[in-house]
Amino acid sequence: MLVLTRKVSERFMIGDDIVVTVVKIDGRQVRIGIDAPRDVVIRRTELKQFEREDFAPSIESSGAAVRSHLHSPRFDPAREIS
């Protein structure tokens, strides 16, 4: 495992097309931004349990809801980071 020390607004790259930015540090919580191609799947590890088959329908429907929200004309990524 590679461990890095970064300050707010500092970035690092994974490969040639993924950029990770430290957006905010608040006590023990760190907010990061990930800029990656649309075909790269990014999942939080605590949600890994939902990849089992018995959860597949709910994952597909929530994925559609997220995609709908992201493509909504009211979605403003800059506003969402707070």
Side-chain angles (χ1 to χ4, degrees):
M1 173 188 301
L2 172 65
V3 178
L4 300 172
T5 302
R6 302 277 79 194
K7 296 177 183 174
V8 173
S9 298
E10 291 185 332
R11 301 172 176 192
F12 62 90
M13 294 185 71
I14 300 173
D16 292 330
D17 54 359
I18 300 173
V19 179
V20 180
T21 305
V22 177
V23 176
K24 180 180 179 181
I25 301 172
D26 186 15
R28 294 181 53 151
Q29 188 174 41
V30 177
R31 181 164 286 192
I32 61 170
I34 303 170
D35 185 15
R38 287 194 171 274
D39 62 328
V40 173
V41 177
I42 301 170
R43 289 192 186 94
R44 298 185 335 228
T45 56
E46 66 269 20
L47 299 179
K48 185 82 170 156
Q49 65 181 331
F50 294 110
E51 290 182 4
R52 296 191 324 242
E53 286 183 28
D54 52 13
F55 288 104
S58 63
I59 288 174
E60 290 172 13
S61 62
S62 54
V66 169
R67 281 190 296 280
S68 172
H69 175 71
L70 291 176
H71 295 298
S72 164
R74 295 177 46 187
F75 178 71
D76 180 1
R79 189 185 78 227
E80 297 295 323
I81 300 175
S82 58

